[in-house]
Amino acid sequence: MGDGDGYNVRAISERSRYRFEHMLNIGGEEDVGFGPSESFALDNYYDLDVLAYRYRDMTYKEEILGYWCNETTYFGSIY
């Protein structure tokens, strides 16, 4: 949306793809494999035009902070 001085982004979201790799070494035998490739978009990724208008006096932002691969294992973002 323009503010008179140019264009500013007023709504930011993310879309990502990930695939977990596992590497095990049990008794000297290595097992390496990959999980399925997953892709997802954050909740409001496809409604950014609406959010840009709603938050036109400030910026709406949602971001990926990490990934849960099961109930107990979490990986934080590398950024």
Side-chain angles (χ1 to χ4, degrees), residues 25-79:
N25 187 329
I26 301 173
E29 293 194 29
E30 291 187 1
D31 177 29
V32 178
F34 295 92
S37 181
E38 301 282 341
S39 178
F40 66 92
L42 291 180
D43 293 341
N44 296 298
Y45 183 81
Y46 296 102
D47 296 318
L48 293 179
D49 54 344
V50 174
L51 291 168
Y53 181 76
R54 186 180 303 159
Y55 291 87
R56 63 187 176 271
D57 296 327
M58 60 186 160
T59 300
Y60 172 86
K61 182 177 182 180
E62 57 186 17
E63 61 187 329
I64 299 168
L65 299 177
Y67 301 94
W68 288 95
C69 65
N70 59 38
E71 291 181 5
T72 59
T73 306
Y74 175 79
F75 297 96
S77 175
I78 60 174
Y79 297 106

